[in-house]
Amino acid sequence: MALVPCQVLRVAILLSYCSILCNYKAIEMPSHQTYGGSWKFLTFIDLVIQAVFFGICVLTDLSSLLTRGSGSQEQERQLKKLISLRDWMLAVLAFPVGIFVVAVFWIIYAYDREMIYPKLLDNFIPGWLNHGMHTTVLPFILIEMRTSHHAYPSRSSGLAAICTFSVGYILWVCWVHHVTGMWVYPFLEHIGPGARILFFGSTTILMNFLYLLGEVLNSYIWDTQRKPASWQDVEINFIYMEPSS
């Protein structure tokens, strides 16, 4: 059976993220040589998250095709676990972190680009790569959400997970400042301690809001309130359904 369009899209998106990551890592920027390297930037962390997520999506599609018609209960169980991992990663990381990076970057960039992406970086990062890191994340994740239903975890566990990620990254940024004496993002140098605390608190709240937005959007697109069956079971049944003659 030929790959359906959504599977082809996932492969193409995965390859694009691999290309973006390779091109970004190949750039010799001074900030890459300092403490924390690329891992101190949320943009880079988000690129890794997106690449891993779409890698899991492609792996799920391949597993679905390879186990189609086998009738193995064990293979079906393993496939359900893979689908659960895919859905959890979209809900907790890929959607909220991806939308956060796009929204916050372009809002600050529009206000004063020197606060988030100094003009000096144009000498290192070409325009297409900047958009690959800060723009295409949005349409890619919306395409994935539109082409496949994703079962969200319980709201409490999902919010706890995104809060853990947010606080963990904030602590990491503060630790980098403690070690190097410099903030990861230039605008943090120009605001006082109270404003930083307010900013960090606001970003955590925004992350939680984006998680809830993803949950509502997913429910709206797929109208889950009217679907009595488990979406995992529907997906599994579709995978193992034999084509009619």
Side-chain angles (χ1 to χ4, degrees), residues 146-161:
R146 180 62 185 86
T147 54
S148 295
H149 176 269
H150 298 273
Y152 267 61
S154 68
R155 183 167 293 180
S156 58
S157 63
L159 290 175

Side-chain angles (χ1 to χ4, degrees), residues 79-101:
L79 184 56
K80 282 187 176 182
K81 286 184 177 180
L82 199 56
I83 293 171
S84 295
L85 175 61
R86 179 200 68 185
D87 293 350
W88 182 91
M89 193 160 184
L90 176 128
V92 172
L93 293 174
F95 183 88
V97 178
I99 303 302
F100 178 90
V101 167

Side-chain angles (χ1 to χ4, degrees), residues 48-65:
V48 173
I49 288 173
Q50 302 299 329
V52 171
F53 168 68
F54 279 99
I56 293 173
C57 288
V58 171
L59 181 60
T60 301
D61 290 337
L62 289 174
S63 299
S64 300
L65 292 172

Side-chain angles (χ1 to χ4, degrees), residues 100 159 162-168 170 197-210:
F100 178 90
L159 290 175
I162 191 61
C163 278
T164 300
F165 174 86
S166 301
V167 173
I170 290 169
I197 293 173
L198 182 62
F199 174 77
F200 289 144
S202 299
T203 57
T204 302
I205 293 172
L206 179 57
M207 281 283 200
N208 280 267
F209 170 78
L210 291 174

